[in-house]
């Protein structure tokens, strides 16, 4: 599939993945991140476990998987940045190029998400450092398999998060460090940056994840955790829970931010994409469930509250790492795991606007990555000041659903609850109703029956389901 994209852009040859498996690793790396290991357990815990998990998995299967395929196929056809790719699909289908608004929204969304994603990843970096220090002191005591935080009480352990959030120069340094690494990988390019990072980091990630899960199964309370995650209490299913589950499914699969369109545009290989899309969705969901099975046994084993909210990972788990055997080591590996996952995701977030600057503005990769990296860094500074200097600021305080949201929560909520769903809704209407069918079938490589099923899900189920969730999520009053 050669396109005119090859003739565009800088003097360098068109960038691309070196193999299908390199693409899959990079895409799985993009999907698996803080969303799986931090956001999923938080939301599952807050929303009562099983019922939320069930709805989330249903959304992944019925909406997420078809959308993953739609985004990758769109990028593959366009062979350029996300906005250009959607425009290309529109042109080839004799549809209005205005449909590329879905990718414009997505590109802005990726930029916005990157700004706060890097701040949270900075916390992860901090805790990896803290746990590393604990490990060193455990080794110093001659007890490398000892617990962390010897002699501290729970309050002292948990107070670390508050102290961190109050210390803006430290937050700034961590944010800068994480964004700097992200920028470094992205400016090295698709092949020697993104692909290389994914092929080194993802195996480490899976090794750590499975290791800690097996450990938790023995050392924690595994049966209570499985009961919590896999027994559905349908009385807990409110419209709010359903809205959260959809938002989480989209966020976790990196949908609606044009990320998979962008990554899809680097596919040069031929062959169907159905299996590839299924692998990405399965791996992402599998990691979220495994993360639940890693975290909740530890939470229940230490009698902590599963509904602890966003601080669950940062406050509750360190308490558990104090008493559990090997706690200092496991704690260190745990935060290292989250760091690795976050990095391959932040790279994909920066790649979206970077590719846009290259494709639409004809900037070099380096210039584009630097400008958008600095921009997202700057916006992130406001997000981190929202915990200290600007803690009274409620950017969308006039709007009921964002009334109490600080700067970071506002960016998170606005992108997750509004921009991503709106983006995928426009995309699904475009792909389902406007895009040339023959071209889409060739790009997806689906056989007749599967293609029909896919198109049905994209054309009907996605817009209607996402539209309803948006409506009731944004206007809770409609339900009385
Ligand atoms: N999917 C990533 C996660 O779960 C977050 C992300 C969203 C990454 C959108 C890229 C694009 O952490």
């Amino acid at each position: 599939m050669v396109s005119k994209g090859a003739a565009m852009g800088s003097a360098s040859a068109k960038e691309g993945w070196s193999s299908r498996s390199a693409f899959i690793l990079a895409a799985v790396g993009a999907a698996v991140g803080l969303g799986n290991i931090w956001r999923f357990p938080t939301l599952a815990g807050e929303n009562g476990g099983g019922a939320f998990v069930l709805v989330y998995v249903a959304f992944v299967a019925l909406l997420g998987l078809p959308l993953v395929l739609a985004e990758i196929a769109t990028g593959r056809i366009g062979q350029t940045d996300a906005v250009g790719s959607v425009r290309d699909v529109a042109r080839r289908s004799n549809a209005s190029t205005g449909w590329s608004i879905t990718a414009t929204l997505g590109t802005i969304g990726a930029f916005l998400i990157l700004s706060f994603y890097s701040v949270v990843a900075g916390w992860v970096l901090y805790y990896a450092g803290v746990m590393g220090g604990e490990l060193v002191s455990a080794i110093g005591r001659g007890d490398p398999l000892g617990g962390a935080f010897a002699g501290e009480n729970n309050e002292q352990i948990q107070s670390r998060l508050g102290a961190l959030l109050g210390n803006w120069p430290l937050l700034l340094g961590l944010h800068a460090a994480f964004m700097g690494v992200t920028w470094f990988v992205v400016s090295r390019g698709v092949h020697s940056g993104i692909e290389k990072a994914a092929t080194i980091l993802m195996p480490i990630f899976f090794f750590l994840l499975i290791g800690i899960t097996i450990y938790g199964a023995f050392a924690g309370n595994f049966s209570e955790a499985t009961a919590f995650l896999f027994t559905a209490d349908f009385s807990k299913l409110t419209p709010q829970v359903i809205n959260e589950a959809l938002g989480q499914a989209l966020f976790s699969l990196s949908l609606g931010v044009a990320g998979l369109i962008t990554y899809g545009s680097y596919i040069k290989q031929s062959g169907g994409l159905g299996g590839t899309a299924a692998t990405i969705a399965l791996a992402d969901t599998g990691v979220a469930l495994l993360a639940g099975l890693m975290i909740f046994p530890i939470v229940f084993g230490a009698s902590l509250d599963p509904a602890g909210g966003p601080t669950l990972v940062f406050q509750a788990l360190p308490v558990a790492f104090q008493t559990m055997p090997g706690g200092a080591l496991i704690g260190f590996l745990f935060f290292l795991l989250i760091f690795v996952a976050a990095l391959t995701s932040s790279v994909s977030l920066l790649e979206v606007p970077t590719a846009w600057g290259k494709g639409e503005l004809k900037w070099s990769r380096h210039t584009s990555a630097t400008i958008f990296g600095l921009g997202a860094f700057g916006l992130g500074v406001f997000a981190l000041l929202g915990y200290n200097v600007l803690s009274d600021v409620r950017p969308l305080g006039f709007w009921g659903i964002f009334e109490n949201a600080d700067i970071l929560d506002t960016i998170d909520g606005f992108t997750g609850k509004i921009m991503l769903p709106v983006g995928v809704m426009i995309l699904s209407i475009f792909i389902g109703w406007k895009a040339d069918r023959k071209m889409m079938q060739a790009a997806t490589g689906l056989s007749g029956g599967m293609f029909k099923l896919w198109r049905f899900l994209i054309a009907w189920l996605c817009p209607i389901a996402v539209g309803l969730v948006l409506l009731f999520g944004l206007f809770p009053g409609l339900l009385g």
Side-chain angles (χ1 to χ4, degrees):
M1 205 162 289
V2 183
S3 89
K4 56 189 184 334
M8 304 191 332
S10 60
S12 61
K14 172 92 176 64
E15 296 185 282
W17 310 112
S18 53
S19 65
R20 175 61 66 99
S21 52
F23 165 65
I24 293 178
L25 266 185
V28 170
V32 172
L34 295 174
N36 305 63
I37 307 176
W38 170 64
R39 218 164 175 268
F40 174 76
T42 299
L43 291 176
E46 284 178 335
N47 293 301
F52 173 85
V53 174
L54 194 74
V55 178
Y56 165 76
V57 170
F59 276 140
V60 169
L62 295 173
L63 304 178
L65 174 56
L67 282 165
V68 166
L69 183 55
E71 284 207 8
I72 300 176
T74 301
R76 178 195 228 175
I77 295 169
Q79 292 287 307
T80 182
D81 69 276
V83 174
S85 288
V86 177
R87 207 192 295 123
D88 184 55
V89 171
R91 279 207 191 106
R92 292 172 192 240
S93 311
N94 292 321
S96 159
T97 54
W99 288 101
S100 64
I101 182 79
T102 176
T104 308
L105 272 178
T107 305
I108 299 171
F111 176 82
L112 293 175
I113 291 176
L114 176 62
S115 71
F116 74 81
Y117 204 84
S118 169
V119 172
V120 179
W123 309 348
V124 174
L125 197 57
Y126 173 76
Y127 274 88
V130 168
M131 298 307 303
E134 292 301 311
L135 178 59
V136 169
S137 66
I139 294 171
R141 290 196 307 269
D143 184 16
L145 291 183
F149 311 115
E152 289 187 34
N153 63 32
N154 286 1
E155 240 158 63
Q156 285 169 312
I157 297 174
Q158 301 198 328
S159 68
R160 276 193 180 72
L161 185 65
L164 170 66
L165 296 183
N167 184 347
W168 70 261
L170 178 57
L171 288 176
L172 190 77
L174 293 161
H175 171 46
F178 186 81
M179 192 68 89
V181 179
T182 303
W183 167 83
F184 176 76
V185 174
V186 170
S187 41
R188 289 183 55 102
V190 174
H191 179 72
S192 28
I194 302 176
E195 179 176 319
K196 198 162 188 190
T199 34
I200 296 172
L201 295 176
M202 290 316 286
I204 300 179
F205 172 83
F206 278 104
F207 180 78
L208 285 175
L209 177 68
I210 291 169
I212 302 178
T213 308
I214 293 174
Y215 170 85
F218 286 105
N221 191 336
F222 199 66
S223 58
E224 201 174 331
T226 45
F228 178 73
L229 284 171
F230 301 119
T231 316
D233 171 1
F234 290 101
S235 69
K236 299 220 162 98
L237 268 194
T238 64
Q240 246 53 50
V241 171
I242 295 174
N243 189 8
E244 290 281 21
L246 176 72
Q248 175 58 18
L250 298 180
F251 184 91
S252 191
L253 289 169
S254 304
L255 286 167
V257 298
L260 289 168
I261 304 181
T262 308
Y263 274 23
S265 77
Y266 303 130
I267 299 179
K268 295 166 154 176
Q269 294 78 17
S270 56
L273 293 175
T276 300
T279 308
I280 296 167
L282 258 179
D284 185 66
T285 309
V287 170
L289 296 176
L290 264 183
L293 290 178
M294 168 175 73
I295 288 164
F296 286 110
I298 300 177
V299 169
F300 288 119
S303 308
L304 303 167
D305 179 11
T311 57
L312 184 73
V313 162
F314 295 107
Q315 282 189 306
L317 287 183
V319 170
F321 293 141
Q322 181 180 41
T323 43
M324 67 164 45
L329 176 65
I330 295 297
F332 174 64
L333 294 176
F334 175 79
F335 285 106
L336 193 65
L337 170 86
I338 310 185
F339 179 77
V340 166
L343 184 61
T344 48
S345 297
S346 64
V347 160
S348 77
L349 286 167
L350 180 56
E351 178 62 16
V352 175
T354 299
W356 181 82
K358 270 184 75 191
E360 305 293 312
L361 306 177
K362 308 292 177 246
W363 289 344
S364 73
R365 164 171 288 278
H366 188 80
T367 306
S368 195
T370 306
I371 289 175
F372 289 113
L374 275 177
F377 171 77
L379 185 61
V381 171
F382 288 99
L384 68 86
L385 290 179
Y387 287 98
N388 33 71
V389 183
L390 303 177
S391 60
D392 293 334
V393 176
R394 300 283 174 273
L396 297 179
F398 54 87
W399 188 345
I401 52 172
F402 296 115
E403 212 167 27
N404 300 315
D406 55 36
I407 301 177
L408 191 146
D409 285 347
T410 301
I411 307 177
D412 184 6
F414 188 77
T415 49
K417 291 204 180 105
I418 301 177
M419 292 187 74
L420 307 193
V422 169
V424 298
M425 199 161 82
I426 299 175
L427 181 78
S428 59
I429 295 172
F430 170 60
I431 298 292
W433 297 96
K434 298 287 173 183
D436 184 82
R437 289 185 198 186
K438 281 217 178 71
M439 176 176 71
M440 289 317 294
Q441 185 164 12
T444 55
L446 293 179
S447 61
M450 288 303 277
F451 184 71
K452 280 215 179 84
L453 175 64
W454 176 72
R455 267 212 56 235
F456 169 76
L457 294 173
I458 288 288
W460 292 96
L461 194 70
C462 283
I464 294 175
V466 175
L468 284 176
V469 174
L470 259 176
L471 199 65
F472 292 122
L474 295 186
F475 306 101
L478 287 176
L479 291 164

